């Protein structure tokens, strides 16, 4: 059986990831693909339990490496229990956040080092990477403003970080993009959602046309 497509969506806070993810899901299903949508940290019971620890507003004492290892541990379990078996059944995976979140947040923004974080993640996924990553790039001021304006999502421990942290996250994503230019596709997420999706759809069309 032909292995399914492994697609991830990434972005800094308030990039509109969840809304665009729903539109991507719809696009992929319209193409006739069988798609499983999932997210990190989480996606399966063990990883959701780790998610609760890592995003707990009370855990302000959490060390940066502890955080990176917890994300990688959650990823490992999600990868072997859900992502790989689903791909092997020929289904497409659409995952909200994956390794590049760790590179941007832990590797760059927390200063642990992109290479160091890449190596624990390579251990977690046996070196496996997505086939395509869509990175929604929003100006951090615009992103945080959107989160506050909507008030439709609980503010978590990472949202509470300073503005300079969010700028570093964006810089971290740009570094990941420079490292994986073929896999990661950047889309400007500052305009309204309809305009952003026009660009996202173009990225998807190009990806599929290169494979068909
Ligand atoms: P979540 O509530 O899923 O937020 P979002 O809608 O922004 O995806 O929270 C996930 C948070 O965890 C988010 O702030 C990014 C962070 N994160 C990391 O720092 N490293 C990682 O590897 C992952 C997967 C997430």
């Amino acid at each position: 059986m032909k292995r399914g497509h492994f697609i991830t969506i990434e972005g800094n806070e308030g990039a509109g990831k969840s809304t665009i993810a729903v539109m991507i899901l719809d696009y992929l299903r319209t193409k006739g693909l069988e798609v499983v949508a999932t997210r990190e940290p989480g996606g399966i019971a063990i990883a959701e339990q780790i998610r609760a620890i890592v995003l707990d507003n009370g855990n302000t004492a959490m060390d940066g490496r502890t955080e990176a290892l917890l994300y990688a541990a959650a990823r490992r379990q999600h990868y072997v229990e859900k992502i790989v078996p689903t791909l092997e059944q020929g289904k497409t995976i659409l995952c909200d956040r994956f390794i590049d979140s760790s590179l941007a947040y832990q590797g760059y923004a927390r200063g642990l080092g992109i290479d160091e974080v890449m190596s624990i993640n390579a251990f977690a996924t046996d070196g496996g990477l997505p086939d395509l990553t869509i990175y929604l790039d929003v100006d951090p001021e615009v992103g945080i403003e959107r989160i506050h304006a909507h008030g439709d999502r609980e503010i978590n421990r990472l949202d509470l970080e300073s503005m300079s942290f969010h700028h570093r996250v964006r810089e971290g994503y740009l570094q990941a993009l420079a490292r994986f230019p073929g896999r990661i596709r950047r889309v400007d997420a500052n305009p309204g959602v309809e305009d952003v999706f026009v660009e996202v759809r173009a990225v998807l069309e190009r990806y599929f046309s290169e494979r068909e």
Side-chain angles (χ1 to χ4, degrees), residues 15-66:
K17 237 170 1 76
S18 327
T19 311
I20 295 290
V22 172
M23 297 167 94
I24 295 176
L25 193 59
D26 199 47
Y27 168 90
L28 295 171
R29 289 190 171 141
T30 305
K31 263 186 87 63
L33 293 167
E34 230 187 304
V35 192
V36 173
T38 187
R39 68 159 182 185
E40 290 207 351
I44 41 112
I46 292 172
E48 291 288 341
Q49 289 171 52
I50 299 174
R51 175 189 174 91
I53 297 169
V54 88
L55 295 181
D56 185 340
N57 285 334
N59 284 339
T60 49
M62 191 177 292
D63 172 75
R65 289 190 185 197
T66 307

Side-chain angles (χ1 to χ4, degrees), residues 68-94:
L69 289 163
L70 285 173
Y71 280 119
R75 179 160 302 130
R76 170 69 187 169
Q77 190 65 31
H78 184 218
Y79 191 71
V80 294
E81 194 179 321
K82 186 163 176 182
I83 295 179
V84 171
T86 302
L87 294 172
E88 282 173 353
Q89 287 162 19
K91 295 178 191 158
T92 291
I93 284 272
L94 178 63

Side-chain angles (χ1 to χ4, degrees), residues 13 17 40-41 51 55 71 75 96-97 101-102 105-106 153 156 158:
E13 314 296 323
K17 237 170 1 76
E40 290 207 351
R51 175 189 174 91
L55 295 181
Y71 280 119
R75 179 160 302 130
D96 183 343
R97 297 193 181 280
S101 284
S102 285
Y105 286 78
Q106 283 69 51
R153 166 165 146 325
N156 68 41
L158 286 144

Side-chain angles (χ1 to χ4, degrees), residues 2-209:
K2 197 158 167 274
R3 194 180 156 94
H5 304 276
F6 180 18
I7 301 172
T8 61
I9 175 161
E10 295 279 355
N12 26 331
E13 314 296 323
K17 237 170 1 76
S18 327
T19 311
I20 295 290
V22 172
M23 297 167 94
I24 295 176
L25 193 59
D26 199 47
Y27 168 90
L28 295 171
R29 289 190 171 141
T30 305
K31 263 186 87 63
L33 293 167
E34 230 187 304
V35 192
V36 173
T38 187
R39 68 159 182 185
E40 290 207 351
I44 41 112
I46 292 172
E48 291 288 341
Q49 289 171 52
I50 299 174
R51 175 189 174 91
I53 297 169
V54 88
L55 295 181
D56 185 340
N57 285 334
N59 284 339
T60 49
M62 191 177 292
D63 172 75
R65 289 190 185 197
T66 307
E67 184 183 279
L69 289 163
L70 285 173
Y71 280 119
R75 179 160 302 130
R76 170 69 187 169
Q77 190 65 31
H78 184 218
Y79 191 71
V80 294
E81 194 179 321
K82 186 163 176 182
I83 295 179
V84 171
T86 302
L87 294 172
E88 282 173 353
Q89 287 162 19
K91 295 178 191 158
T92 291
I93 284 272
L94 178 63
C95 188
D96 183 343
R97 297 193 181 280
F98 194 64
I99 278 188
D100 303 298
S101 284
S102 285
L103 300 183
Y105 286 78
Q106 283 69 51
Y108 191 82
R110 294 247 187 261
L112 298 179
I114 293 193
D115 288 330
E116 285 78 357
V117 172
M118 191 64 220
S119 76
I120 60 167
N121 276 280
F123 177 69
T125 67
D126 310 304
L129 287 171
D131 299 311
L132 172 68
T133 297
I134 295 172
Y135 165 48
L136 300 179
D137 181 13
V138 72
D139 175 340
E141 267 84 15
V142 173
I144 296 302
E145 176 54 36
R146 276 184 191 160
I147 290 182
H148 289 158
H150 289 162
D152 56 354
R153 166 165 146 325
E154 212 181 306
I155 306 276
N156 68 41
R157 192 169 64 83
L158 286 144
D159 294 333
L160 299 175
E161 296 285 350
S162 67
M163 226 35 237
S164 70
F165 179 80
H166 297 300
H167 279 279
R168 288 201 303 280
V169 169
R170 174 166 185 270
E171 180 54 33
Y173 272 123
L174 295 177
Q175 300 228 354
L177 175 67
R179 200 170 280 226
F180 300 104
R183 170 177 64 84
I184 307 178
R185 299 280 175 216
R186 176 191 167 275
V187 170
D188 178 3
N190 291 301
V193 70
E194 297 299 332
D195 292 331
V196 174
F197 190 67
V198 168
E199 260 202 77
V200 169
R201 191 171 46 219
V203 167
L204 289 164
E205 273 161 9
R206 182 161 153 213
Y207 167 84
F208 285 109
S209 73

